[in-house]
Amino acid sequence: MRTVLITGAAGGIGAAAAEAFAAQEDRVLLNYRRSEQAARSLEERLLQKGQEAYCLQADVSDPQQVRRMFDIIEANWGGVDVLVNNAGIAQIKLFTDLTDEDWNRMIGVHLNGTFYCCRAALPYMIRQHEGRIINISSMWGQIGGSCEVHYSAAKAGVIGLTKALAKEEGLSGITVNCVAPGVIRTNMTAELTEEDIAVLRAETPTGSIGTPEDVARAILFLAGQDASFITGQILAVNGGFVT
Ligand code: NAP
């Protein structure tokens, strides 16, 4: 049984990924920061189906909290076989209005959080000579989004980290890849009006908005046996919005 850690597992994409891994009999570790109730009810749902799931609280932007989370993981399960760096936040703001705090928070969660979790997960993966890391970037990390400069920079950083780490860990039997979603219906996009959604649909070649399950299937693929010769890649799940 593989142990899979998903950060931000109480959110839309994280929960869909957790359900998908658990359904194929992986043990899922559900990291959350504040959404304890959502994380606990997901854990409960999976346990009721006879699947293995455990909640772990930690703010991934805090290196000490990440270390404490991995201390618990190592004591109970040795380490993680699959790490999904999914935790994320969004903020729409003009670049000229961004404060130091806005900037640092965005980089802290997405880029520092991915760094802290990869750093903590790797020693076990290196010892096992096997491991999968899937980092969730965004199409805005690929092409840049107006009024989301800090988000785009953080997500572009995640792409750079992925490509470089894939090269460093290739001989250790570890693959490192990114999934770059387009517009996906979750809490993160809940503020979009139906009019906004209609415009985005019209701009998307498939004429649709993505679901968390669309992203979860791509994560599962990269974590699976069929993707063993794929590393350092960016898998875009965006209906053709960015090609
Ligand atoms: P979501 O439903 O808002 O979920 C994000 C989750 O991340 C939340 O449950 C939140 O948990 C958690 N989180 C935030 N900061 C954290 C921290 N410091 N430590 C631990 N957990 C933290 O959003 P989503 O759409 O599923 O987003 C998942 C990922 O996909 C994000 O990285 C996002 O940037 C990326 N993405 C989303 C879209 C989209 O259109 N939805 C598009 C491209 C990329 P708490 O409430 O407990 O803080």
Side-chain angles (χ1 to χ4, degrees):
M1 177 181 267
R2 295 189 309 177
T3 301
V4 180
L5 171 64
I6 301 162
T7 67
I13 292 171
E19 302 239 17
F21 278 111
Q24 60 173 33
E25 301 195 347
D26 289 318
R27 173 188 298 121
V28 289
L29 308 184
L30 311 170
N31 160 261
Y32 66 94
R33 178 185 47 167
R34 295 195 194 123
S35 305
E36 178 166 9
Q37 213 181 335
R40 296 261 169 235
S41 66
L42 173 61
E43 179 190 52
E44 189 57 32
R45 227 171 33 247
L46 298 178
L47 291 174
Q48 274 171 5
K49 287 194 239 171
Q51 297 160 346
E52 262 201 68
Y54 302 89
C55 287
L56 291 169
Q57 197 281 330
D59 179 338
V60 297
S61 68
D62 179 334
Q64 286 170 351
Q65 292 191 34
V66 170
R67 190 55 259 162
R68 277 201 295 276
M69 175 168 70
F70 273 85
D71 287 343
I72 296 169
I73 292 171
E74 286 162 15
N76 287 280
W77 304 285
V80 298
D81 303 293
V82 180
L83 168 65
V84 183
N85 285 305
N86 166 76
I89 54 172
Q91 186 183 36
I92 309 286
K93 212 166 175 183
L94 276 175
F95 180 70
T96 45
D97 289 341
L98 286 179
T99 63
D100 293 357
E101 198 194 343
D102 293 331
W103 179 268
N104 291 332
R105 202 162 58 98
M106 196 58 78
I107 299 292
V109 176
H110 294 279
L111 190 52
N112 297 352
T114 299
F115 163 53
Y116 300 141
C117 290
C118 289
R119 184 176 60 179
L122 275 166
Y124 173 83
M125 291 182 176
I126 292 168
R127 279 199 305 279
Q128 302 295 310
H129 204 77
E130 194 166 18
R132 296 294 168 93
I133 297 176
I134 296 111
N135 298 323
I136 310 306
S137 179
S138 159
M139 67 177 175
W140 301 133
Q142 297 176 285
I143 60 162
S146 169
C147 296
E148 293 192 79
V149 172
H150 54 345
Y151 182 81
S152 304
K155 291 301 201 185
V158 168
I159 290 175
L161 183 156
T162 300
K163 286 174 181 275
L165 190 59
K167 289 186 174 159
E168 195 166 317
E169 299 302 338
L171 288 177
S172 299
I174 299 160
T175 66
V176 189
N177 289 291
C178 257
V179 172
V183 183
I184 310 294
R185 283 259 194 194
T186 68
N187 277 346
M188 195 169 273
T189 48
E191 280 174 22
L192 292 174
T193 63
E194 282 311 314
E195 205 178 6
D196 295 334
I197 295 282
V199 171
L200 287 164
R201 267 208 188 95
E203 284 177 19
T204 306
T206 54
S208 54
I209 296 299
T211 66
E213 290 71 26
D214 289 325
V215 184
R217 281 190 291 275
I219 296 170
L220 220 66
F221 166 68
L222 290 171
Q225 208 41 48
D226 290 343
S228 56
F229 195 49
I230 299 174
T231 195
Q233 303 303 315
I234 316 306
L235 179 48
V237 183
N238 63 27
F241 198 101
V242 171
T243 57

